Amino acid sequence: MSQIIGTAVSRTDGRAKVTGTATYGAEHPLPGLVHGYLITAQIAHGRILNIDTAAIERSPGVIAVFTHDNMPRVFTPANDWASAQIYETRLPLADDRVHYAGQIIGLVVADTFERARDAAHSAPVEYQTDSVLVEADNATYEDSPPWFGEDFQFQEGAFETGDFAAARAGAATAVEATYTTEAELNSPMEPHALVAHWQTNDAVTIYEPTQWVRLSQGTYAQLFGLPTERVRIVSPYVGGAFGAKAFPWPHGILCVAAARELQRPLKVVVSRRQMTANTGHRSQTAQTVRLATDETGQLIALEHTARTCTSPVEVFSEPCTAVTPVMYATPNLKLGQELAVLNVGTPTFMRAPGEAPGMFALESAMDELAWELGLDPVELRLRNETSAHQRRKRPFSAKNFAACLRTGAEQFGWGQRQMQPRSQQRDNLLVGWGMAAATFPGYRGSAEAKVRLLPDETAHVLTSANDMGTGSYTVIAMTAAETLGLPVESIQVEIGDSLMPDGGLAGGSQMTATLAPAVVNACQAVLEAANAETAQQAFASLQASGRASYEATGSAAPGEEGTQFAFQSWGAHFCEVMVDEEIARLRITRWVSVMDVGRVVNTKAATSQIRGGIIMGIGSALMEECHFDAASGHPVVYDLATYHCPAHADIPRIEVTFVGEPDLNFNPLGVRGAGEIGIMGVAPAVANAVYHATGKRIRNLPIIPDKLI
Ligand code: MOS
């Protein structure tokens, strides 16, 4: 047995990415390519009275203009999350209605990008405007419809065990507070973009970044009334997605429809400003948490309710309370989730959807409770650990949360913390220490991979899976190398093409747990096909026989284990902030995270994933917010200069340690995934440190300087 799994391997696609040879969606050059630019609504609610398409067509280089008056026929897909799914149920250019500012109302196609953009920007549009609602505080909330959540099942928002009200009435200690978070933008580095190329009127190749190649294929097939085989999706590289590139958005559907009409390859790139309305965001949230304990600090009652917002054309609840039954044991648990409709673009999944803002509320409240009890917040969490998922009523398969807390506390030096706010100073600045827990479900789907052994002593792995910066290429190569007994350099990985076996979804942090077992099975199958014990024997027999290759396909899928266990990853963050109160300057100066994610395949990539999650969490804690102007309905941010994300100078050295054991009940490799857990608990760890430093409890993210003055 070689020892590749569990080591640190630099990403095999790294050189292609840093040298610019990695080809992204908009970078596929095709002869005869024409360029589409979206026309977007200047109003946030109302009706289009007229678009002067004749004027647009007179613009230099314009080939065609599409509006709701001449939108080509598109069929309604099943939207069953299995065969087909689109983000926004309203099809593009479906009618003359405008539901949110920046909504797509047309597409200009021209011979160059610049001429398409110019014509689109100067398109004369007349509107009839209706009243606009973009402020969450003024919205009308109703009970949320069930959301697509844990176990990939629909889940009700309301849940109760025991009797919260009675237990709280009899409690020794109680805290209650409301926490809010602002709307956030997914902000992948690669903008949403695609090239659609119809070979004939009933066969199309779509070059588009996607987290789920096969679902994308099935969805476009249904939208255009084609057999699945007639749609090819090519997505070898995805420049970040964070949940917003799993299904087609309206711009993608419109591009493919227009390309068919024109019978020319067509490229549509969504501008950074257009992305604020048309490619998803995380809804703002308002959450109330009520905690009550007995004299010993044992939780006896916990209530968590959340309000989030969606667009007029899709139902998406940011499921903030999904995380709550997992974290702390309580006999009386009550959850509620409400939803309102605003004139804003459709919200969607964004790294740890629901869980990340949910954890801000829950872990801030736990810190408030610790101060109320005069108890170390680490000790409070240890005291209230749960061994079972309290909603699904199953024990956790492998849980090392206590080890995360203890190891993190020791590495950080938590024991030296002064137990009063404003008690620590350095360099004339206030110093605060904060901590919070992290958790994320272990998801796994089914996948297939093909392995080929060639006489040149290389092995090729082919699967439709994708790498959105997560490290899938390298994980697949390492898994194949380990199973075949070859060096990583001898493995060539080809992914992101619907012609290849179904590699599953890169979402819910599940790609490694889904795919790696299939790669193992495919490697074993190819050795069997070669009648060989080792890859070297198979290579020798290829060379001796003159045969071109050995090839086999392997698959893997979850079994019945989910009926017995709940699978969940765990972690703890410890951080130090330094605050200059005179100028309200806050810096994060130290960060220690300890994670239990089951077996780690690539320690380097997994550490990077956790660090990336923490950096994104620091963004949500300190900077990220997308407000909508109450009068116009437009987002007041429109690019990566106005929408603030952390840069290098904002981030200290982040120490990451993995603890725990392989979760072998979950899959044969025992891996759970590291994509999302890093962001979990980051914002509350910062807010808790800010309280320790300043004595100010900030319950509204992000913690911008105004709130510290
Ligand atoms: Mo993730 S938000 O499941 O892509």
Side-chain angles (χ1 to χ4, degrees):
M1 192 78 175
S2 79
Q3 289 296 328
I4 294 170
I5 288 181
T7 64
V9 175
S10 294
R11 56 181 73 223
T12 58
D13 50 328
R15 179 175 292 269
K17 283 182 169 170
V18 299
T19 56
T21 57
T23 313
Y24 291 85
E27 298 177 337
H28 292 267
L30 292 172
L33 181 75
V34 290
H35 301 264
Y37 200 92
L38 302 168
I39 308 173
T40 55
Q42 299 297 317
I43 63 162
H45 190 201
R47 227 171 253 282
I48 299 161
L49 297 177
N50 185 48
I51 302 182
D52 188 350
T53 51
I56 301 167
E57 279 159 2
R58 284 194 298 272
S59 212
V62 170
I63 295 164
V65 183
F66 295 90
T67 70
H68 62 275
D69 284 327
N70 65 339
M71 174 64 194
R73 177 82 196 267
V74 175
F75 298 96
T76 301
N79 288 331
D80 56 5
W81 302 82
S83 71
Q85 187 67 40
I86 54 179
Y87 276 113
E88 189 168 297
T89 313
R90 179 183 183 269
L91 292 168
L93 312 186
D95 52 35
D96 62 356
R97 301 290 307 274
V98 175
H99 301 278
Y100 53 87
Q103 177 191 310
I104 297 168
I105 57 169
L107 178 76
V108 180
V109 179
D111 55 354
T112 70
F113 170 78
E114 288 77 9
R115 291 167 117 181
R117 182 178 59 184
D118 181 57
H121 278 170
S122 48
V125 184
E126 289 168 46
Y127 303 96
Q128 171 214 303
T129 57
D130 294 330
S131 63
V132 173
L133 176 64
V134 292
E135 290 159 305
D137 288 345
N138 297 337
T140 308
Y141 291 84
E142 289 179 13
D143 283 341
S144 167
W147 64 76
F148 191 69
E150 273 197 313
D151 265 358
F152 286 69
Q153 303 287 324
F154 281 88
Q155 194 165 29
E156 292 288 336
F159 177 79
E160 184 161 12
T161 52
D163 184 341
F164 172 82
R168 184 166 187 273
T173 308
V175 295
E176 169 178 346
T178 295
Y179 305 87
T180 64
T181 64
E182 297 296 340
E184 297 173 347
L185 304 176
N186 297 53
S187 311
M189 267 216 280
E190 177 203 20
H192 290 252
L194 72 158
V195 173
H197 179 208
W198 290 84
Q199 286 81 35
T200 67
N201 195 41
D202 63 358
V204 65
T205 300
I206 301 168
Y207 304 88
E208 184 177 31
T210 172
Q211 296 173 240
W212 200 349
V213 168
R214 286 301 195 93
L215 189 78
S216 180
Q217 177 191 33
T219 305
Y220 280 114
Q222 290 190 14
L223 285 161
F224 292 95
L226 301 172
T228 309
E229 298 74 19
R230 289 296 187 148
V231 177
R232 181 178 173 198
I233 306 293
V234 180
S235 179
Y237 296 98
V238 181
F242 308 112
K245 290 178 182 165
F247 320 123
W249 284 104
H251 72 272
I253 303 168
L254 180 52
C255 173
V256 178
R260 186 189 218 176
E261 212 55 24
L262 299 171
Q263 286 295 307
R264 294 185 71 167
L266 174 64
K267 179 194 293 193
V268 170
V269 177
V270 186
S271 73
R272 195 57 72 175
R273 181 188 284 252
Q274 290 171 343
M275 278 170 59
T276 58
N278 288 304
T279 56
H281 65 275
R282 193 201 297 280
S283 168
Q284 57 276 74
T285 76
Q287 305 173 60
T288 300
V289 178
R290 296 161 151 185
L291 304 175
T293 72
D294 64 15
E295 304 73 26
T296 67
Q298 200 72 47
L299 281 171
I300 55 171
L302 195 173
E303 184 187 45
H304 186 178
T305 57
R307 290 181 150 186
T308 77
C309 302
T310 190
S311 78
V313 287
E314 181 62 68
V315 172
F316 185 91
S317 282
E318 176 80 12
C320 298
T321 54
V323 70
T324 314
V326 169
M327 278 310 302
Y328 302 112
T330 177
N332 303 287
L333 174 66
K334 191 174 178 188
L335 308 176
Q337 182 100 21
E338 294 180 327
L339 187 65
V341 174
L342 300 180
N343 294 115
V344 298
T346 295
T348 195
F349 307 100
M350 178 168 160
R351 203 176 203 165
E355 285 109 342
M359 202 65 163
F360 167 62
L362 182 61
E363 288 295 279
S364 293
M366 284 295 280
D367 199 69
E368 298 202 42
L369 179 63
W371 286 104
E372 186 70 29
L373 289 162
L375 200 60
D376 181 339
V378 174
E379 177 56 29
L380 178 66
R381 284 163 176 81
L382 286 168
R383 240 176 242 192
N384 286 286
E385 237 201 306
T386 169
S387 59
H389 190 306
Q390 297 170 99
R391 188 159 182 176
R392 292 161 65 197
K393 308 211 183 316
R394 282 168 217 149
F396 295 116
S397 162
K399 180 173 181 184
N400 294 279
F401 178 46
C404 296
L405 290 167
R406 293 200 174 101
T407 307
E410 189 180 318
Q411 285 185 3
F412 190 83
W414 186 256
Q416 274 96 63
R417 177 174 177 261
Q418 302 295 314
M419 279 283 276
Q420 303 101 35
R422 305 183 68 87
S423 57
Q424 295 184 186
Q425 287 208 9
R426 201 161 70 232
D427 304 335
N428 288 322
L429 301 177
L430 291 168
V431 176
W433 290 1
M435 61 80 53
T439 189
F440 196 79
Y443 292 128
R444 182 188 174 200
S446 55
E448 234 183 352
K450 177 184 279 189
V451 176
R452 304 182 77 221
L453 299 179
L454 303 187
D456 67 358
E457 307 200 350
T458 61
H460 293 220
V461 187
L462 294 87
T463 172
S464 76
N466 78 72
D467 189 329
M468 52 172 156
T470 47
S472 316
Y473 275 104
T474 318
V475 159
I476 295 166
M478 290 173 74
T479 306
E482 171 108 11
T483 315
L484 293 169
L486 294 173
V488 172
E489 302 73 48
S490 300
I491 313 292
Q492 289 194 26
V493 178
E494 290 177 48
I495 60 176
D497 190 327
S498 61
L499 291 176
M500 298 171 185
D502 186 355
L505 155 72
S509 303
Q510 67 166 294
M511 180 125 275
T512 302
T514 297
L515 192 55
V519 171
V520 170
N521 290 346
C523 291
Q524 286 164 350
V526 81
L527 291 179
E528 252 171 66
N531 198 18
E533 294 283 313
T534 66
Q536 290 307 334
Q537 284 175 13
F539 292 142
S541 114
L542 281 173
Q543 288 153 2
S545 67
R547 192 182 157 138
S549 66
Y550 290 113
E551 184 177 298
T553 300
S555 63
E560 297 297 302
E561 62 275 5
T563 61
Q564 274 185 286
F565 297 106
F567 304 103
Q568 194 83 19
S569 286
W570 304 95
H573 298 289
F574 293 82
C575 71
E576 178 185 87
V577 301
M578 292 179 70
V579 179
D580 182 340
E581 278 198 312
E582 280 176 29
I583 57 168
R585 183 177 196 212
L586 187 164
R587 299 197 64 193
I588 296 171
T589 46
R590 220 146 61 79
W591 201 283
V592 168
S593 290
V594 181
M595 294 282 150
D596 164 23
V597 297
R599 172 177 284 153
V600 175
V601 176
N602 185 350
T603 55
K604 187 171 183 177
T607 302
S608 286
Q609 277 284 63
I610 300 300
R611 288 197 179 119
I614 292 165
I615 293 166
M616 201 162 168
I618 290 173
S620 78
L622 300 182
M623 301 166 202
E624 295 187 44
E625 53 180 335
C626 175
H627 286 285
F628 299 88
D629 179 75
S632 73
H634 281 275
V636 301
V637 298
Y638 44 84
D639 57 21
L640 293 179
T642 51
Y643 183 77
H644 296 169
C645 294
H648 285 83
D650 300 309
I651 303 298
R653 169 91 196 156
I654 296 171
E655 301 294 343
V656 177
T657 303
F658 293 103
V659 297
E661 75 252 64
D663 192 345
L664 295 170
N665 296 313
F666 186 42
N667 61 62
L669 282 127
V671 306
R672 281 197 299 260
E676 284 158 286
I677 188 168
I679 195 174
M680 292 293 292
V682 170
V686 173
N688 297 343
V690 168
Y691 178 76
H692 187 229
T694 66
K696 290 196 178 91
R697 174 61 63 180
I698 297 181
R699 302 189 180 96
N700 315 100
L701 294 185
I703 306 171
I704 53 174
D706 318 32
K707 298 176 189 173
L708 289 172
I709 283 185

